[in-house]
Amino acid sequence: MPEAALPSVLFVCVHNAGRSQMAAAFLTHLGGGRVQVRSAGSAPADTVNPAVVAAMAEVGIDVSAEVPKVLTVEAVQASDVVITMGCGDTCPVFPGKRYLDWQLPDPAGQGVEAVRPLRDDIERRIRGLLDEIAPEGPA
C-alpha cells in the first residue's frame, strides 16, 4: 500500500519516554507496515525510561535505540489519529483529525514491576485500535 494511503497515528505524552514510546512500539510491531506511527512529547525527556526499555524487552520489542522527540504542529497535521496520554492542553487541535485521550498513569520514576501492567494495558488498547483503523485482510 502506498505510504500516503496508510492510516497514520501520533502518540503524545509529556516526556515521550514511556507511555507514547510503548504505544508507538506496539503499533509498529503489531501493525506489520499497515500504519504510519509517530510519537512525541510536549516536554521530551533526554532518554526513554529504562524501566520501559526493560518491560518492552520482556515481550520481545527493543526500544533501547528510541529517542524522545518534541511535539510539532507538522506531526499533528500529518496524522489521522492523535492519541494523547496526559499531555494536557499542549497538544494542538486541527479540524478533521481524530483525537483520543487515553488516561494512563505516567511510568516516570517507576520500576519495571509497575510498568508491566501499564505495558499490557497499552498493548490491549493498541490491538483494539489496529483492528479498527487497519484490520488485516483475508489471508
Side-chain angles (χ1 to χ4, degrees):
M1 190 180 288
E3 198 165 283
L6 296 176
S8 59
V9 178
L10 170 64
F11 296 99
V12 183
C13 67
V14 176
H15 301 297
N16 190 222
R19 297 165 289 188
S20 57
Q21 289 285 350
M22 287 190 284
F26 272 124
L27 187 54
T28 298
H29 179 76
L30 298 170
R34 298 178 311 209
V35 181
Q36 288 182 6
V37 182
R38 298 175 182 85
S39 71
S42 53
D46 294 328
T47 60
V48 174
N49 180 333
V52 166
V53 173
M56 293 301 287
E58 290 176 353
V59 295
I61 300 175
D62 182 6
V63 297
S64 63
E66 295 298 325
V67 177
K69 296 163 280 306
V70 69
L71 176 63
T72 64
V73 169
E74 293 79 19
V76 177
Q77 289 175 321
S79 301
D80 299 312
V81 180
V82 179
I83 299 176
T84 57
M85 304 170 173
C87 74
D89 297 332
T90 61
C91 190
V93 176
F94 293 97
K97 305 291 176 194
R98 179 175 173 200
Y99 291 87
L100 300 171
D101 185 42
W102 289 357
Q103 297 294 317
L104 297 166
D106 187 346
Q110 301 293 316
V112 71
E113 299 80 19
V115 173
R116 285 183 190 119
L118 176 59
R119 172 200 65 200
D120 297 344
D121 184 15
I122 290 172
E123 180 182 10
R124 179 186 55 76
R125 292 172 188 243
I126 292 298
R127 288 182 182 279
L129 177 70
L130 193 55
D131 286 346
E132 181 184 332
I133 66 170
E136 287 189 75

